[in-house]
């Protein structure tokens, strides 16, 4: 099965298609609603619900998802039987990444039988207890987000899917468990300056007016003690190390986040969002 872009260019004009968008479609029909600085501020705010997809693109996604569910039975089956490529580079994305320029065979994967539901195989006894910078590739699938959030055109939106836990008792002591359960984890790499302060949110929130976001609707924990803040940073340290290893800091600046456990969408899998801007 070969994925072909549903959009095409005729007489220099990008035609609007269906299914996952091309980069040209994103530029023409779904332009970014917020800047890189605003995006970093939203990530740093503690309310990861501020990261949004263009409303028109969301509508297109919803229509596509219905077709995918009809073919595969569920979005989980689509991910497991087709989209995720454990231990391999992403050859299916229409958007691509500057990190995968050496991948020449785009869109050439044959899907497994979509009528057969395939649960994830059990984690072997000798597997690491949780996701870390040295996690074996067979437990990881790094793909481009086919339906990216409304990020600037120079920013790549990647997803790191992993079969190993990200939230683990050895990393998250009980004193910060409730906070992580509500807020998730986030961090920044490739910069010597502090990320934009959440105090800037009143200035940046108008960029989210289309979604009806106001200050009183934010959901985030109050700043903890120095000890609690250190524990939260430690809880995300393995993710941070992995991101720094893949997106080398001399070349990339990133903002990453992991939704809290209550918002993880696929049982047995976890994923990390990475917004990466090439310097």
């Amino acid at each position: 099965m070969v994925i072909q872009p549903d959009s095409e260019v005729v007489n220099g004009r990008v035609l609007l298609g269906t299914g996952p968008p091309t980069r040209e479609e994103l530029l023409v029909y779904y332009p970014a609603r917020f800047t890189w600085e605003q995006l970093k501020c939203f990530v740093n705010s503690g309310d990861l619900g501020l990261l949004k997809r263009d409303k028109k693109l969301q509508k297109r996604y919803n229509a596509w998802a219905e077709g995918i569910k009809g073919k595969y039975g569920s979005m989980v089956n689509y991910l497991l039987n087709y989209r995720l490529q454990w231990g391999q580079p992403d050859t299916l994305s229409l958007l691509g990444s500057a990190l995968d320029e050496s991948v020449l065979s785009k869109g050439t994967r044959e899907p497994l039988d979509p009528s057969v539901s395939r649960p994830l195989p059990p984690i072997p006894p000798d597997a690491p207890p949780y996701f870390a910078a040295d996690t074996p590739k067979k437990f990881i699938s790094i793909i481009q987000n086919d339906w990216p959030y409304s990020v600037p055109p120079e920013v790549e939106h990647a997803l790191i899917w992993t079969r190993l836990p990200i939230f683990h008792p050895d990393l998250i002591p009980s004193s910060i468990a409730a906070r992580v359960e509500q807020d998730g984890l986030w961090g920044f790499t490739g910069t010597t300056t502090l990320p934009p302060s959440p105090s800037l949110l009143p200035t940046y929130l108008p960029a989210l007016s289309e979604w009806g976001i106001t200050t009183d609707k934010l959901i985030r924990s109050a700043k903890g003690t120095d000890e609690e803040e250190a524990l939260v940073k430690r809880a995300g340290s393995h993710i941070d190390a992995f991101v720094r290893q893949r997106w080398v800091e001399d070349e990339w600046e990133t903002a990453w986040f992991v939704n809290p456990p209550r918002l993880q969408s696929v049982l047995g899998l976890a994923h990390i969002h990475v917004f990466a801007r090439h310097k």
Side-chain angles (χ1 to χ4, degrees), residues 33-263:
R33 293 292 193 268
F34 37 84
T35 67
W36 177 235
E37 287 301 306
Q38 289 170 331
L39 185 155
K40 290 190 292 183
C41 183
F42 298 154
V43 171
N44 200 35
S45 71
D47 185 348
L48 300 178
L50 296 180
L51 280 300
K52 300 295 185 182
R53 181 182 290 131
D54 183 287
K55 279 195 168 185
K56 292 182 293 183
L57 187 60
Q58 181 67 46
K59 184 176 180 180
R60 176 169 164 171
Y61 168 82
N62 293 341
W64 171 82
E66 286 303 309
I68 289 294
K69 292 173 185 176
K71 179 177 180 179
Y72 289 90
S74 70
M75 190 59 66
V76 173
N77 284 353
Y78 166 74
L79 289 169
L80 298 184
N81 292 353
Y82 183 74
R83 187 65 183 93
L84 298 182
Q85 299 174 276
W86 301 105
Q88 303 298 321
D90 182 9
T91 61
L92 300 176
S93 175
L94 296 180
L95 301 177
S97 167
L99 286 173
D100 293 328
E101 289 178 345
S102 60
V103 178
L104 301 178
S105 56
K106 289 288 184 180
T108 57
R109 185 183 183 195
E110 288 293 331
L112 301 171
D113 184 349
S115 65
V116 178
S117 178
R118 289 177 174 80
L120 286 167
I123 300 294
D126 60 346
Y130 45 75
F131 177 83
D134 59 353
T135 294
K137 289 184 178 180
K138 64 183 179 181
F139 297 120
I140 300 172
S141 180
I142 303 176
I143 66 175
Q144 294 302 107
N145 191 338
D146 296 328
W147 303 89
Y149 293 167
S150 191
V151 300
E154 73 275 12
V155 175
E156 297 184 2
H157 184 180
L159 300 173
I160 305 172
W161 288 88
T162 174
R163 294 178 56 207
L164 299 181
I166 290 177
F167 301 101
H168 190 276
D170 288 351
L171 301 175
I172 304 173
S174 58
S175 60
I176 61 167
R179 173 174 171 175
V180 172
E181 175 65 30
Q182 174 174 284
D183 301 339
L185 298 168
W186 63 89
F188 304 87
T189 70
T191 178
T192 57
T193 61
L194 294 174
S197 168
S199 65
L200 294 172
L201 274 176
T203 302
Y204 290 162
L205 280 184
L208 298 174
S209 61
E210 182 178 342
W211 291 273
I213 303 297
T214 53
T215 305
D216 61 302
K217 294 181 179 179
L218 297 180
I219 302 174
R220 50 186 177 159
S221 300
K223 184 176 177 60
T225 65
D226 290 345
E227 180 182 3
E228 288 170 340
E229 293 299 318
L231 288 173
V232 171
K233 185 174 182 179
R234 174 181 173 271
S237 61
H238 291 287
I239 303 168
D240 193 75
F242 185 96
V243 171
R244 291 173 190 272
Q245 180 175 278
R246 178 172 173 83
W247 286 273
V248 179
E249 293 187 281
D250 287 344
E251 301 176 12
W252 295 88
E253 182 184 1
T254 80
W256 61 262
F257 77 86
V258 188
N259 275 324
R262 59 189 172 83
L263 296 180

